[in-house]
Amino acid sequence: MLRTELDALPVEEKTGLAFASKVTTRNDAGDMVPVAHACGHDLHMAGWYGTAKVMADRRNGWHGTLMLVGQPAEETAGGAASMLADGLFSRFPKPDFAIGVHDENTLPSGRSVSTQGTFAPPLTPWK
């Protein structure tokens, strides 16, 4: 299973770029707030989609089931619990392995970290 997150954060993007988010939505209190993918979720989705494309293009070279999960509400910690309560693993087979990705601004550019369990920076990056 490859899990990515797809939620937006209640922040206004002030980059001035042509592709900057101009989206607004209602928060839990019912107030209209701006939202943007300010935590790198666009990066997460691009990697998730790219993995799906590569795996599909090469499906004759591997066997098994690839489960791609887009998790909402990761930043508020409610998305995973809601997905489990909705029957994620009773409606779909429980995976043997799960990979969750996240970007981390404390690591140098071009470095990555692998950890089991809950991610708790700072971690030592691979060289």
Side-chain angles (χ1 to χ4, degrees), residues 37-63:
H37 292 287
C39 187
H41 298 181
D42 293 349
L43 170 71
H44 301 176
M45 290 300 294
W48 185 77
Y49 173 81
T51 299
K53 174 114 177 72
V54 167
M55 296 298 284
D57 288 349
R58 298 178 181 178
R59 65 183 156 271
N60 293 329
W62 60 276
H63 66 277

Side-chain angles (χ1 to χ4, degrees), residues 56-127:
D57 288 349
R58 298 178 181 178
R59 65 183 156 271
N60 293 329
W62 60 276
H63 66 277
T65 301
L66 174 63
M67 184 178 187
L68 297 163
V69 175
Q71 177 186 331
E74 177 269 342
E75 297 293 345
T76 60
S82 295
M83 291 172 67
L84 292 172
D86 188 48
L88 174 66
F89 295 135
S90 61
R91 297 179 5 199
F92 303 98
K94 187 173 181 182
D96 294 325
F97 302 95
I99 298 172
V101 297
H102 205 286
D103 53 327
E104 173 54 49
N105 68 350
T106 63
L107 297 175
S109 178
R111 300 292 174 100
S112 62
V113 170
S114 174
T115 185
Q116 291 183 326
T118 304
F119 179 76
L123 296 173
T124 304
W126 295 346
K127 297 194 184 218

